[in-house]
Amino acid sequence: MIEHQSTPRWTAVENFLTEVVVRPDSSLDRAVTSALEAGMPPIEVAPNAGKLLKLLVRLSGSRRVLEIGTLAGFSTIWMAQGLPDDGQLVTCEYLPRHAEVARANVDAAGLGAKVEVRVGAALDTLQALENEGAAPFDFIFIDADKENNAHYLDWAIRLGRPGTTVVMDNVVWEGALLDADLDPENAPGIISAVTLMGEDPRLDGTVIQTVGSKGWDGFALALVR
Ligand code: SAH
Ligand code: DHB
Ligand code: MG
């Protein structure tokens, strides 16, 4: 007989794994609570996904990371923790209030010198980075407004180099990947980005489905050829 559970079993498993294996430090816990206190939506990546981002940054030997969609800086802190001492991370956030909370969290994590939070619509910030002749990014995490996902993927190629790692969050979106009617606002951007990832000869990618505290979703991982 299965006992009544107030949370799905996969969330209980995620919580167990977070405690036993992932082990986020106090600066990461603070990033989550500060976001709740500030009334921001709880849409940061799950801790096991954040840890994966950190490990991917480290495994790829990345020195320059670009993030699109900062929120309170939870994924930012994870990725910055994977960088070497002289590493750099630029993160793009549309809402000044989110950027402010993230800035404080990144500073409190002792990562202030590595991280630049740029406020504005990411498409403008990406264009500005190109205009400034920014050095190529080694690792790019796309996690903002889903409508622009295909544009962000194109920018990732432009601001990356052959060998750049690209990760895109939320590409399964409770199954809306196969049924845009489930979310007419966000699904089309997710579908075009995943289609582009498969078709564009400059990218070599895959998608991993996930379940847990963030529901049924998935992330795409691609290499710029
Ligand atoms: N990566 C974060 C979560 C990001 S949530 C984490 O895992 O911790 C998505 C964020 O993208 C929100 O803060 C939202 O304000 C921001 N955003 C939405 N549209 C944007 C745009 N056009 N440009 C930049 N940021 C945007
Ligand atoms: C949501 C989740 C995300 O991971 C994100 O980047 C944006 C929104 C959501 O569940 O609404
Ligand atoms: Mg996300």
Side-chain angles (χ1 to χ4, degrees):
M1 178 78 171
I2 294 168
E3 278 178 70
H4 170 77
Q5 288 177 316
S6 56
T7 54
R9 294 181 77 200
W10 52 73
T11 299
V13 168
E14 179 186 306
N15 293 341
F16 169 79
L17 294 173
T18 297
E19 222 174 284
V20 173
V21 183
V22 176
R23 301 174 70 103
D25 69 13
S26 58
S27 72
L28 287 156
D29 293 340
R30 200 176 313 115
V32 174
T33 46
S34 71
L36 288 173
E37 283 163 15
M40 293 156 69
I43 56 173
E44 70 283 341
V45 295
N48 57 338
K51 182 72 172 281
L52 178 66
L53 289 170
K54 172 190 168 176
L55 292 171
L56 288 171
V57 166
R58 176 65 56 88
L59 285 164
S60 59
S62 294
R63 297 183 161 272
R64 287 178 54 75
V65 173
L66 174 64
E67 177 177 60
I68 304 173
T70 314
L71 196 69
F74 183 72
S75 53
T76 314
I77 293 171
W78 274 118
M79 291 189 287
Q81 287 182 347
L83 283 171
D85 288 344
D86 62 347
Q88 288 277 291
L89 186 156
V90 177
T91 184
C92 309
E93 174 54 52
Y94 182 66
L95 293 175
R97 179 65 189 143
H98 289 188
E100 203 178 296
V101 172
R103 181 77 256 162
N105 286 331
V106 165
D107 290 347
L111 296 163
K114 286 183 189 173
V115 176
E116 184 187 351
V117 184
R118 291 224 186 176
V119 182
L123 288 175
D124 296 337
T125 305
L126 298 167
Q127 182 65 66
L129 286 165
E130 186 178 70
N131 296 347
E132 291 161 19
F137 290 93
D138 308 309
F139 190 99
I140 304 180
F141 179 48
I142 300 169
D143 191 23
D145 50 323
K146 313 311 171 196
E147 298 97 309
N148 281 313
N149 267 355
H151 299 298
Y152 295 148
L153 196 52
D154 192 60
W155 271 109
I157 299 165
R158 277 165 80 169
L159 295 175
R161 52 158 174 88
T164 289
T165 305
V166 182
V167 176
M168 180 180 284
D169 194 23
N170 309 118
V171 298
V172 175
W173 207 246
E174 302 283 344
L177 178 63
L178 282 195
D179 186 358
D181 292 343
L182 293 175
D183 185 351
E185 189 189 334
N186 297 300
I190 294 169
I191 293 164
S192 343
V194 168
T195 306
L196 180 65
M197 191 173 279
E199 284 178 351
D200 196 309
R202 299 169 300 172
L203 293 169
D204 198 15
T206 187
V207 170
I208 300 295
Q209 291 192 75
T210 54
V211 287
S213 59
K214 308 296 171 177
W216 172 30
D217 213 331
F219 62 88
L221 172 68
L223 185 68
V224 178
R225 292 195 219 246

